[in-house]
Amino acid sequence: MRQPTTASGHDERSQESRRVRPLRVLPCGFLGAQACALGLALAIAAPAWPQDKAIGRTVESLLVFARETNPEYAAIRSEADAALERVTPAGALADPKFRMELRDITKSGDQNPTLSPSQVGSTRYLLSQDLPWFGKRELKREIAEFEAEGATSRARGTWSDLAARIKAAHAQRYYLSRNEKLTREILELIVRLEKVAQVRYAGGLAAQQDVIRAQVEQTSMRSELVTLESESRQVDARLNALLARPAAAELAPPERLPVLPTAARLDYATLEERVRARNPVLFAEESRLKAAEKSRELAYRNRYPDFTVGFGPIQYQNAVKEWEVMVELNIPLQLSTRRAQERESEAMLSAARSRKEATANQVLADLAENLAGIEAARRIEMLATTSLLPQAELTFRAALAGYENGKVDFATLLEAQRQIRQARQSQIKAQSEAQIRLAAIERLLGEDL
């Protein structure tokens, strides 16, 4: 039962509730002293807890999250585990068989039928085991091992592809975020230029067209901001899908891009060797080729028969008086069937070789293409940083001073600010493009550079 409260107790609780309005503290008599203390501690700490710790500031946080949550990667890992578990049964013997025969259950018509081993004419027991021809079990186990290696490589390839898509999406988010920030800065600059144009127009030093041009430029910038915001939401939705999160889940703004490796680490000859040795797709195709070779060998080994051996006693009434041993084998007379299986294995082996060669050619072509792309992006960024951007800033300052002195028209001033914006956009886009190319190279390598 609730304890009656005194006036003084009510006043004390009223003062406490006024001091801590967001908290609702139950009387300790209701929950007990320990429960009340725990509830009060949690209530005080609750406002400090983050509602939803957003990820996305760095690409590393995205990759860690995706490795644990992406269902596609989880599925392919489970398939690889399943393929690994097939190795043991592939090379194991079949279960032995037990057979029991009740002979002459009527004793030549002298009695009614019976199923009792001690009352029939004789009872034959047989324990048998199927034995494949020598080497077949080892070949089946090796085929399963290569298939398991291929499944593991496909899991690695799935992760490499997923990581590359996440890295590319992070680079796109970085580009859109910085471009939006740049657009807002330029918009503020255009607003200030409009004010300058209005002052000059009010003083009769400039035409009204200058003010209108500034307003048109602002409208164009705001329209571009809408486009950038829409593209950002689209990229966020794609990235959330890769992370197995709701499409509208919050992502933190990207803070930085990973550091690009040095030019020496992007040498084509070195990377080609690493790609041939580590590329998950090539490794999977190599495993498939080896499995096809073993399958062909097994197809030719099927020309030889398999055996079944067995032994067992024969019971007469209550005593075992005879023992027997049995050997059985299949006769491989269906030659047309076996020749067809052999031709099939040869064709599958040829297909595996061609597929591996085609995959290697494509992977090396992608490597060369992305290396050329990352080199071009680096050069563009260098030109924009060291040449184009400083020149554009100098041009703008000169145009602004000339406009204030009446020596340059407003159109020239707007064109100068557009050049600054284009230079900065080129710089940001080159950084993003280099990261996308780097992600593609790391996908080919199956590991980070």
Side-chain angles (χ1 to χ4, degrees):
M1 297 179 60
R2 187 183 299 273
Q3 300 294 331
T5 57
T6 62
S8 61
H10 183 272
D11 293 342
E12 290 175 358
R13 283 193 296 273
S14 300
Q15 294 174 2
E16 181 67 21
S17 63
R18 285 195 296 270
R19 287 195 297 268
V20 189
R21 291 183 182 275
L23 304 180
R24 182 181 178 184
V25 183
L26 295 175
C28 290
F30 183 77
L31 296 175
Q34 294 180 350
C36 183
L38 178 59
L40 181 60
L42 293 176
I44 294 175
W49 291 349
Q51 296 296 328
D52 183 15
K53 187 177 180 180
I55 60 175
R57 300 186 187 279
T58 62
V59 70
E60 292 80 8
S61 64
L62 296 172
L63 293 175
V64 170
F65 191 90
R67 187 180 287 274
E68 299 297 329
T69 61
N70 183 266
E72 181 182 1
Y73 181 53
I76 199 70
R77 281 188 302 176
S78 298
E79 291 177 357
D81 293 339
L84 187 61
E85 296 300 330
R86 297 190 192 106
V87 175
T88 299
L93 288 172
D95 291 333
K97 301 175 184 177
F98 174 76
R99 184 175 181 177
M100 175 181 176
E101 296 180 6
L102 298 177
R103 300 174 175 178
D104 194 10
I105 60 175
T106 62
K107 282 192 175 181
S108 302
D110 294 340
Q111 65 180 23
N112 293 326
T114 180
L115 298 179
S116 174
S118 62
Q119 297 178 7
V120 299
S122 63
T123 304
R124 178 175 178 262
Y125 303 95
L126 179 65
L127 182 64
S128 62
Q129 174 68 59
D130 294 333
L131 297 175
W133 186 261
F134 305 103
K136 287 186 178 181
R137 288 174 52 203
E138 289 75 9
L139 288 173
K140 291 180 180 179
R141 185 180 63 251
E142 290 174 355
I143 291 172
E145 288 175 349
F146 288 131
E147 290 177 348
E149 290 178 1
T152 302
S153 298
R154 286 191 293 273
R156 288 179 51 232
T158 299
W159 170 249
S160 297
D161 182 69
L162 175 63
R165 286 187 286 171
I166 291 175
K167 293 173 183 178
H170 179 74
Q172 291 174 352
R173 292 185 70 239
Y174 180 87
Y175 167 73
L176 292 171
S177 175
R178 294 299 182 270
N179 198 7
E180 181 180 352
K181 180 180 179 182
L182 172 62
T183 303
R184 294 187 184 280
E185 291 175 355
I186 298 298
L187 179 59
E188 294 178 359
L189 175 61
I190 298 299
V191 171
R192 293 196 296 269
L193 293 180
E194 180 192 2
K195 293 179 180 179
V196 174
Q198 287 177 347
V199 171
R200 290 181 57 80
Y201 171 67
L205 301 177
Q208 186 181 9
Q209 185 179 4
D210 292 352
V211 179
I212 297 175
R213 284 181 175 177
Q215 294 172 350
V216 170
E217 189 73 13
Q218 292 177 44
T219 303
S220 176
M221 303 289 284
R222 292 190 176 95
S223 176
E224 187 166 347
L225 282 174
V226 172
T227 302
L228 291 173
E229 291 173 358
S230 175
E231 292 179 358
S232 296
R233 288 194 296 269
Q234 294 175 30
V235 174
D236 288 352
R238 290 197 299 269
L239 185 55
N240 279 322
L242 297 176
L243 301 177
R245 304 175 76 217
E250 180 184 0
L251 287 168
E255 291 182 346
R256 58 180 174 82
L257 293 174
V259 179
L260 290 175
T262 61
R265 298 180 60 187
L266 295 176
D267 177 65
Y268 177 79
T270 303
L271 291 180
E272 178 184 0
E273 183 178 354
R274 291 178 62 181
V275 164
R276 289 185 181 275
R278 300 175 181 270
N279 181 264
V281 180
L282 279 179
F283 200 86
E285 294 299 335
E286 177 68 21
S287 299
R288 181 180 296 182
L289 175 60
K290 293 179 179 178
E293 292 174 347
K294 295 299 180 180
S295 296
R296 181 189 61 173
E297 187 175 348
L298 179 61
Y300 282 98
R301 194 67 62 93
N302 285 335
R303 294 181 176 185
Y304 302 97
D306 296 329
F307 294 89
T308 301
V309 297
F311 76 98
I314 299 178
Q315 175 183 346
Y316 293 92
Q317 281 76 46
N318 293 323
V320 174
K321 298 182 178 180
E322 296 180 7
W323 289 83
E324 65 177 8
V325 176
M326 181 269 292
V327 176
E328 178 184 329
L329 59 90
N330 64 313
I331 302 175
L333 292 180
Q334 301 296 331
L335 299 182
S336 60
T337 300
R338 284 172 172 76
R339 297 302 177 268
Q341 292 173 346
E342 293 168 4
R343 290 193 296 270
E344 177 191 4
S345 65
E346 293 284 359
M348 293 300 295
L349 178 58
S350 178
R353 287 171 177 165
S354 299
R355 188 179 294 109
K356 179 187 175 183
E357 183 179 358
T359 302
N361 292 336
Q362 184 61 51
V363 166
L364 295 179
D366 292 343
L367 175 63
E369 177 183 348
N370 286 291
L371 284 175
I374 199 172
E375 178 62 23
R378 272 180 159 169
R379 294 174 63 183
I380 291 174
E381 181 186 3
M382 180 67 66
L383 289 173
T385 303
T386 61
S387 179
L388 186 58
L389 186 57
Q391 293 170 358
E393 291 174 348
L394 289 175
T395 301
F396 176 75
R397 286 196 291 268
L400 180 59
Y403 179 73
E404 291 175 346
N405 296 329
K407 297 180 180 180
V408 174
D409 59 4
F410 194 73
T412 303
L413 183 60
L414 286 180
E415 181 62 27
Q417 67 83 21
R418 290 194 189 102
Q419 291 177 1
I420 291 181
R421 184 183 175 208
Q422 291 173 357
R424 292 183 179 176
Q425 284 179 333
S426 297
Q427 185 183 38
I428 300 171
K429 187 176 182 179
Q431 294 173 352
S432 175
E433 180 66 19
Q435 291 295 327
I436 294 175
R437 296 290 187 177
L438 177 62
I441 293 173
E442 291 175 340
R443 176 180 62 83
L444 298 175
L445 289 175
E447 60 184 6
D448 294 340
L449 276 173

